[in-house]
């Protein structure tokens, strides 16, 4: 089996699972309990919080653990929109390349009459149209939510620089960054001191457990909680903490910080794949040559339906991701690709191959072989 779907979930190594288990074995308590086992669990949670914060150049108290980045994105947008009602600032800006957790939340908030969700287009290179975004930032705009590194194209939006420009136009604006796919892939140590007010993260994209995420929220910025209850996470995210997940997140945060080259093999594999695919005129690569995180390839093959390619990958034991949703057997075009100006057929038949720490150039060669065979079969 070749796993080439790291952007969906980067697998946990056995060593990592063992490390998590070892730490957990010594702390079965509830981190809110005052007895020794509770205190031990709390210590683990706080160590992890510090590790995540260090990756962002942030303070530990600016990190709030959540169940996933989907929750973090929902939390921030719902909380901000409820505040917007109290003032005339009603526009929420998002890009056309946002993850569904931002896109669908923004749409729902608009439907509930809580704000006006304005979608900013993308340039053909996959980046948000910064000029168009900034043109929309006025006193009626209460927040911007922008994806940092794109989960499909890998394209990086200059989130921190855009936040600076946006705040020149409206200093009260809240700038949120969906940094799920940049964490561990880019140096984010400047984020804590940047103009970005909040950001979402998820452990399973960097080899941690699934079901644990966090929200970075700058100190002093006020946010209402999404969940009420026991007052965990400094009263902002009630619910007993997922200690196993948090321990895992902390370990992986420490790991990616201490091993900044941990994805070098993934980048080499990705480069190899793109070299091979660029030789095939039927292949439409939806990734620019520069300005990406460098571990993902998003493409369509002219004349080859996606289902045929997926079947070939399945048969060869290679796990890749379909680049668009499939409604009743008919692939619907990928929204990011449509926004980049890719024609509808190619946008509906896209595939994503994403590499991780375990990937090799041989994996890339196998992926390329499958595509090549499909192209040869066309003749
Ligand atoms: N944002 C981006 C850019 C993502 O890639 C993902 C996951 O695919 C999410 C948010 C949601 O993350 P989670 O799986 O933790 O809910």
């Amino acid at each position: 089996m070749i796993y080439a779907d790291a952007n969906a979930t980067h697998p946990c190594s056995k060593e990592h699972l063992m490390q998590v288990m070892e730490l957990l074995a010594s702390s079965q308590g509830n981190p809110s309990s005052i007895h020794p086992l509770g205190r031990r669990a709390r210590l683990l949670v706080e160590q992890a919080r510090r590790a995540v914060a260090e990756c962002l150049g942030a303070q530990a108290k600016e990190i709030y653990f959540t169940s996933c980045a989907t929750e973090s994105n929902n939390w921030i947008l719902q909380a901000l929109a409820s505040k917007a009602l109290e003032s005339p600032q009603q526009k929420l800006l998002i890009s056309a390349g946002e993850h569904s957790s931002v896109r669908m939340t923004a749409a729902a908030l608009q439907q509930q009459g809580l704000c006006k969700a304005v979608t900013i287009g993308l340039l053909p290179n996959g980046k948000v149209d910064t000029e168009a975004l900034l043109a929309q930032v006025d006193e009626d705009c209460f927040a911007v939510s922008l994806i940092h590194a794109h989960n499909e194209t890998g394209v990086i939006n200059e989130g921190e620089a855009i936040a600076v420009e946006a705040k020149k136009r409206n200093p009260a604006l809240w700038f949120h960054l969906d940094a799920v796919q940049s964490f561990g892939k880019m140096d984010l140590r400047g984020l804590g001191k940047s103009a970005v007010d909040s950001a979402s993260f998820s452990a399973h994209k960097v080899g941690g457990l699934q079901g644990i995420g966090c929200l970075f929220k700058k100190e002093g910025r006020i946010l209402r909680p999404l969940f009420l209850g026991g007052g965990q996470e400094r009263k902002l995210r009630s619910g007993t903490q997922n200690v196993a997940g948090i321990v895992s997140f902390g370990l992986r945060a420490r790991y990616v910080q201490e091993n900044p080259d941990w994805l070098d093999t993934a980048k080499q594999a990705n480069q190899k794949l793109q070299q091979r695919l660029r030789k095939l005129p039927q292949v439409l690569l939806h990734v620019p040559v520069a300005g990406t995180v460098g571990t993902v390839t998003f493409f369509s093959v002219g004349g080859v339906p996606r289902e045929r390619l997926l079947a070939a990958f399945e048969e060869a034991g290679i796990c890749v991701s379909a680049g668009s949703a499939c409604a009743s057997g008919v692939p619907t075009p990928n929204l990011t690709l449509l926004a980049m100006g890719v024609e509808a057929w190619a946008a509906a038949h896209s595939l994503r191959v994403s590499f991780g720490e375990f990937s090799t150039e041989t994996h890339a060669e196998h992926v390329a072989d499958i595509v090549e065979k499909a192209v040869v079969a066309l003749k």
Side-chain angles (χ1 to χ4, degrees):
M1 181 79 86
I2 292 176
Y3 188 80
D5 199 15
N7 277 21
T9 282
H10 189 297
C12 277
S13 67
K14 275 203 187 102
E15 296 75 36
H16 176 67
L17 290 173
M18 294 305 290
Q19 267 182 306
V20 173
M21 269 167 46
E22 242 171 67
L23 283 166
L24 274 188
S26 65
S27 61
Q28 299 288 319
N30 184 321
S32 299
S33 297
I34 52 167
H35 51 66
L37 279 188
R39 292 205 299 274
R40 170 88 189 126
R42 174 126 203 139
L43 188 72
L44 292 179
V45 168
E46 295 315 317
Q47 276 171 350
R49 199 187 307 281
R50 276 199 296 280
V52 173
E54 270 170 35
C55 291
L56 311 179
Q59 305 175 69
K61 62 182 173 191
E62 295 175 313
I63 304 299
Y64 299 83
F65 288 113
T66 59
S67 65
C68 58
T70 294
E71 181 191 324
S72 305
N73 284 337
N74 269 264
W75 176 13
I76 203 85
L77 297 186
Q78 292 190 33
L80 293 177
S82 71
K83 239 172 75 177
L85 258 191
E86 296 157 12
S87 74
Q89 304 178 323
Q90 291 190 347
K91 254 191 300 180
L92 164 64
L93 307 187
I94 66 167
S95 86
E98 295 307 304
H99 184 262
S100 51
S101 55
V102 167
R103 186 168 39 81
M104 295 184 74
T105 306
L109 291 169
Q110 168 159 292
Q111 224 168 27
Q112 292 159 27
L114 290 174
C115 68
K116 188 172 161 217
V118 178
T119 303
I120 309 295
L122 304 182
L123 301 173
N125 64 8
K127 283 182 193 274
V128 67
D129 184 342
T130 307
E131 242 176 73
L133 187 151
L134 293 175
Q136 285 284 347
V137 179
D138 52 27
E139 59 189 20
D140 285 336
C141 174
F142 65 94
V144 174
S145 182
L146 183 64
I147 192 163
H148 197 197
H150 196 273
N151 45 309
E152 290 160 330
T153 60
V155 166
I156 298 163
N157 283 315
E158 316 300 336
E160 296 170 19
I162 297 173
V164 170
E165 289 307 314
K167 286 191 172 184
K168 281 184 192 161
R169 288 157 177 82
N170 178 357
L173 176 99
W174 187 299
F175 200 98
H176 176 69
L177 204 58
D178 178 348
V180 168
Q181 297 285 353
S182 52
F183 185 80
K185 298 182 185 133
M186 291 168 65
D187 184 351
L188 299 184
R189 281 171 301 176
L191 196 73
K193 302 281 174 291
S194 74
V196 170
D197 297 291
S198 61
S200 301
F201 304 94
S202 187
H204 73 107
K205 307 297 184 181
V206 289
L209 293 177
Q210 294 163 334
I212 179 70
C214 76
L215 181 77
F216 154 75
K217 179 189 75 67
K218 200 174 249 179
E219 194 188 11
R221 286 302 239 162
I222 294 170
L223 194 67
R224 67 147 223 220
L226 188 61
F227 298 160
L228 300 174
Q232 288 89 346
E233 298 294 298
R234 292 176 312 290
K235 297 198 168 54
L236 281 187
R237 201 283 185 180
S238 285
T240 300
Q241 285 100 336
N242 168 3
V243 181
I246 291 172
V247 164
S248 162
F249 201 172
L251 287 171
R252 291 307 293 176
R254 183 93 47 231
Y255 180 80
V256 300
Q257 213 192 355
E258 286 172 0
N259 301 278
D261 54 356
W262 75 291
L263 283 175
D264 279 2
T265 52
K267 288 177 188 162
Q268 281 153 16
N270 198 50
Q271 250 174 18
K272 170 61 70 183
L273 174 62
Q274 292 191 6
Q275 270 167 16
R276 291 266 315 261
L277 296 187
R278 281 184 208 285
K279 288 187 189 144
L280 304 170
Q282 297 86 345
V283 173
L284 204 59
L285 276 178
H286 307 306
V287 279
V289 275
T292 76
V293 287
T295 57
V296 56
T297 295
F298 199 32
F299 65 100
S300 314
V301 185
V304 185
R306 183 184 69 172
E307 300 336 311
R308 200 184 301 164
L309 280 166
L310 282 174
F313 279 120
E314 172 100 20
E315 206 186 328
I318 302 175
C319 304
V320 300
S321 175
S324 64
C326 191
S328 51
V330 184
T332 50
N334 177 284
L335 295 175
T336 298
L337 292 181
L338 285 184
M340 287 163 63
V342 173
E343 57 112 352
W345 192 90
H349 291 269
S350 52
L351 286 174
R352 180 184 72 182
V353 174
S354 51
F355 295 106
E357 190 174 22
F358 48 81
S359 302
T360 64
E361 289 193 23
T362 312
H363 292 180
E365 299 279 15
H366 285 308
V367 172
D369 288 346
I370 298 288
V371 179
E372 216 170 72
K373 260 191 219 156
V375 166
V376 169
L378 275 177
K379 290 174 186 162

